């Protein structure tokens, strides 16, 4: 996966192009490509099975945001004010017939600017078309897929943008990360293993860089939904990464070795966490109108993926170099121990809120329970097994219904039993073996059967 510069043969971009712009352009182009593939859209299993009935107008609006941002990035490559000059040069060249070799060399810089101006014009044209389609009453699946073939096919044929579809740009690492990874790879003797592991680390860091771009996009309500394109890209990249590990990496190592176990866990956790994001967290975000709700869902999904990539990098690095410090690589990194302690504390806080409601089932205590449950869903729930998410969603939906507060008392008792069971299961995690839970009431037997829970 070599680093390269688009238009590197052009005098205009030989020394002055910003690599970050190119990395971001590659990300948005590939995100648009993925977003026109049904498998990479954030849909629930039910929606996916009924995809032919869905209206894809809102998805077109998301693509339109991405294409508009691509035009802005391309303009930045030209430089402030140069788009007017490039348009003039493009017009001038169209008026000159078959220039000689001397004239060709003299206008090399102008030709490069003209080429990039054509890219901007093409992107602006697509923006207008997508904007019109985003306002039609209904856009069926086949039309949406056909639109994708036209848009992506045209962009791939462009001599300047097409190279970004075919290549992979490496993320730029800070000095500390480079030094840490150099120590890790230096401990690997087999050149083939070292090359494969280096490629794996690059992909994991690239995923982290994508999450950084997501956080930048969701900062403004006007651009927040544009981040869905990057989530679709991450879905596609992680699927390719898991295939790479199964087919290229795992066969290089003996089964039951520490590295083979780490790679197995990496594949499992990646598939589960990405599924959480695409089938739960991001479902229906494209339809939401409340900016605060959109931001909360996108931020939670981004946090899940950021934690995933950080944990995978650290787990893989520690297999070769136990002295690697996770917080040195990622200052905001939370260890498994920290996550488990916070999860257990938050579960117990929900137990207490539920008990308070049962003692005085009025509107105020019910509102506190719903708010506490909603906060847990946006926060620590990401550290639970995916299997447990559905029960939380069901309890939240039940407590949010318009009924008299006392009507929810039986359900609150079941919810308390479920929470206490989760506290016990979380406390069994190996990282908490030396951190026993001090609230003995959490282990008090409760009446009724507890729902099945997982760690």
């Amino acid at each position: 996966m070599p680093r390269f510069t688009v238009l590197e043969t052009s005098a205009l971009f030989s020394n002055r192009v910003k690599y970050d712009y190119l990395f971001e352009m590659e990300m948005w182009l590939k995100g648009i490509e993925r977003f026109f593939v049904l498998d990479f859209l954030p849909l629930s299993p039910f929606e996916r099975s009924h995809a032919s009935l869905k209206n894809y107008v809102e998805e077109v609006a998301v693509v339109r945001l991405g294409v508009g941002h691509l035009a802005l990035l391309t303009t930045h490559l030209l430089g402030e004010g140069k788009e007017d000059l490039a348009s003039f040069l493009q017009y001038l060249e169209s008026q000159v017939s078959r220039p000689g070799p001397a004239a060709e060399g003299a206008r090399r810089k102008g030709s490069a600017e003209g080429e990039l101006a054509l890219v901007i014009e093409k992107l602006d044209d697509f923006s207008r078309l997508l904007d019109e389609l985003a306002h039609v009453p209904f856009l069926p699946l086949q039309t949406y897929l056909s639109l994708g073939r036209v848009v992506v096919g045209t962009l791939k044929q462009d001599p300047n943008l097409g190279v970004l579809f075919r290549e992979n740009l490496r993320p730029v690492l800070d000095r500390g990360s480079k030094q840490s990874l150099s120590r890790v790879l230096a401990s690997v003797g087999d050149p083939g293993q070292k090359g494969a592991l280096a490629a794996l680390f690059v992909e994991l860091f690239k995923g982290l860089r994508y999450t950084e771009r997501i956080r930048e996009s969701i900062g403004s309500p006007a651009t927040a939904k544009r981040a869905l394109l990057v989530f679709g890209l991450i879905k596609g990249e992680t699927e390719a990464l898991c295939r790479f590990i199964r087919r290229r990496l795992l066969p290089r190592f003996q089964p039951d070795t520490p590295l083979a176990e780490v790679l197995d866990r990496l594949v499992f956790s990646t598939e589960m966490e990405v599924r959480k994001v695409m089938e739960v967290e991001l479902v229906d975000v494209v339809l939401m109108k409340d900016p605060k709700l959109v931001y909360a869902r996108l931020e939670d999904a981004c946090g899940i993926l950021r934690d995933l990539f950080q944990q995978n990098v650290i787990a893989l690095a520690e297999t070769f170099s136990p002295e690697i410090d996770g917080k040195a690589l990622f200052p905001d990194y939370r260890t498994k121990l920290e996550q488990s302690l916070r999860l257990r504390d938050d579960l117990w806080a929900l137990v207490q809120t539920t008990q308070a409601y049962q003692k005085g089932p009025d509107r105020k205590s019910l509102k506190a329970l719903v708010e506490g449950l909603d906060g847990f869903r946006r926060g620590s729930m990401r550290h639970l097994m995916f299997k447990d998410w559905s029960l939380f969603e069901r309890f939240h939906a039940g407590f949010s219904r318009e009924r008299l507060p006392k009507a929810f008392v039986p359900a609150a008792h079941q919810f308390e039993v479920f929470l206490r069971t989760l506290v016990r299961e979380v406390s069994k995690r190996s990282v908490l073996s030396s951190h026993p839970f001090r609230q003995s009431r959490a282990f008090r037997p409760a009446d009724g059967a507890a729902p099945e829970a997982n760690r």
Side-chain angles (χ1 to χ4, degrees):
M1 290 171 284
R3 180 183 297 186
F4 67 94
T5 301
V6 67
L7 292 176
E8 59 188 354
T9 59
S10 164
L12 178 64
F13 298 101
S14 58
N15 297 313
R16 287 179 286 169
V17 69
K18 289 189 176 180
Y19 186 76
D20 283 346
Y21 283 150
L22 298 176
F23 183 88
E24 191 171 355
M25 286 179 68
E26 179 209 33
M27 180 189 74
W28 292 116
L29 283 168
K30 291 183 177 179
I32 290 170
E33 180 184 21
R34 295 294 198 283
F35 211 68
F36 279 115
V37 179
L38 189 62
D39 290 342
F40 302 135
L41 292 178
L43 301 172
S44 67
F46 177 81
E47 287 178 320
R48 200 171 299 282
S49 64
H50 295 76
S52 60
L53 306 178
K54 177 178 167 57
N55 185 0
Y56 291 87
V57 167
E58 296 296 338
E59 280 76 7
V60 170
V62 171
V63 176
R64 185 255 175 271
L65 291 174
V67 171
H69 188 63
L70 266 174
L72 180 63
L73 289 173
T74 312
T75 303
H76 288 330
L77 288 178
L78 275 172
E80 185 177 355
K82 285 192 176 181
E83 59 271 21
D84 296 331
L85 171 62
S87 297
F88 173 74
L89 289 173
Q90 176 188 332
Y91 167 77
L92 184 62
E93 288 180 352
S94 68
Q95 306 302 309
V96 180
S97 61
R98 300 194 178 218
E104 182 66 28
R107 285 204 314 278
R108 186 180 177 191
K109 178 178 177 180
S111 297
E113 290 182 339
E115 288 177 8
L116 209 57
L118 284 173
V119 171
I120 297 173
E121 182 180 355
K122 191 177 299 181
L123 292 171
D124 286 340
D125 288 342
F126 276 132
S127 291
R128 296 187 188 95
L129 291 173
L130 292 168
D131 190 52
E132 291 294 327
L133 290 173
H135 291 88
V136 300
F138 187 84
L139 191 78
L141 174 61
Q142 291 305 317
T143 304
Y144 179 72
L145 297 179
S146 298
L147 175 65
R149 287 190 287 270
V150 172
V151 173
V152 175
T154 304
L155 296 178
K156 281 186 174 182
Q157 291 175 3
D158 185 89
N160 300 315
L161 296 180
V163 67
L164 293 174
F165 284 101
R166 298 189 295 271
E167 301 291 343
N168 267 325
L169 294 181
R170 295 178 181 177
V172 178
L173 304 181
D174 58 67
R175 187 172 182 178
S177 298
K178 285 182 179 179
Q179 292 175 346
S180 298
L181 294 180
S182 295
R183 292 200 304 270
V184 170
L185 295 175
S187 63
V188 183
D190 188 318
Q193 293 179 358
K194 181 180 294 188
L197 286 172
L200 176 56
F201 275 118
V202 166
E203 289 303 312
L204 292 174
F205 272 101
K206 194 168 187 177
L208 271 172
R209 186 56 52 85
Y210 288 159
T211 63
E212 293 173 8
R213 298 298 188 188
I214 289 173
R215 292 183 67 85
E216 293 172 4
S217 295
I218 66 178
S220 169
T223 63
K225 290 185 180 181
R226 187 177 71 207
L228 292 172
L229 300 173
V230 189
F231 283 110
L233 173 59
I234 291 176
K235 172 89 162 36
E237 296 295 304
T238 52
E239 287 185 0
L241 179 66
C242 290
R243 287 195 300 270
F244 171 77
I245 293 173
R246 287 194 177 102
R247 298 175 184 178
R248 295 278 306 278
L249 268 181
L250 280 174
R252 297 174 182 269
F253 303 97
Q254 293 294 327
D256 300 325
T257 59
L259 182 56
E261 293 176 359
V262 168
L263 292 174
D264 271 330
R265 289 197 297 270
L266 189 152
V267 171
F268 176 77
S269 63
T270 298
E271 291 176 338
M272 291 297 293
E273 296 297 280
V274 172
R275 185 182 167 197
K276 283 182 190 178
V277 167
M278 301 301 289
E279 295 186 7
V280 178
E281 286 293 331
L282 298 180
V283 171
D284 292 337
V285 168
V286 72
L287 302 174
M288 294 177 179
K289 304 301 181 185
D290 185 352
K292 293 182 179 178
L293 185 56
V294 171
Y295 177 83
R297 294 284 288 274
L298 291 172
E299 185 184 39
D300 290 346
C302 181
I304 292 173
L305 294 178
R306 183 194 64 236
D307 292 347
L308 168 69
F309 290 124
Q310 287 183 353
Q311 290 166 7
N312 285 344
V313 167
I314 292 172
L316 196 59
E318 288 177 342
T319 305
F320 296 97
S321 299
E323 72 277 5
I324 291 290
D325 182 10
K327 290 193 178 294
L329 281 173
F330 311 113
D332 61 343
Y333 173 67
R334 297 177 67 91
T335 65
K336 284 284 189 181
L337 173 60
E338 292 171 325
Q339 291 175 357
S340 298
L341 287 171
R342 179 186 171 187
L343 172 62
R344 190 170 62 180
D345 290 344
D346 289 350
L347 284 169
W348 181 245
L350 268 181
V351 170
Q352 294 175 313
T353 305
T354 307
Q355 288 177 333
Y357 162 72
Q358 292 180 82
K359 290 177 181 177
D362 53 21
R363 292 190 180 276
K364 183 178 179 181
S365 60
L366 178 60
K367 181 181 178 182
L369 174 58
V370 173
E371 290 178 350
L373 181 51
D374 195 44
F376 180 81
R377 288 167 62 242
R378 295 196 308 268
S380 296
M381 191 173 80
R382 72 181 65 167
H383 305 312
L384 277 176
M385 288 290 287
F386 186 43
K387 298 176 183 178
D388 295 321
W389 285 34
S390 59
L391 275 174
F392 273 99
E393 297 296 338
R394 285 165 54 189
F395 277 117
H396 182 268
F399 290 135
S400 301
R401 287 183 297 175
E402 290 292 335
R403 295 178 62 182
L404 293 176
K406 291 184 178 181
F408 298 110
V409 172
H413 175 70
Q414 293 180 358
F415 186 49
E416 181 187 352
V417 173
F418 172 57
L419 292 172
R420 289 178 179 276
T421 304
L422 283 178
V423 171
R424 287 196 297 270
E425 292 300 315
V426 170
S427 297
K428 294 177 184 177
R429 292 181 175 182
S430 58
V431 295
L432 295 178
S433 58
S434 57
H435 296 77
F437 191 47
R438 300 303 180 187
Q439 296 285 352
S440 59
R441 292 177 298 166
F443 305 106
R444 173 177 56 82
D447 297 332
E452 182 182 353
N454 301 279
R455 285 180 294 168

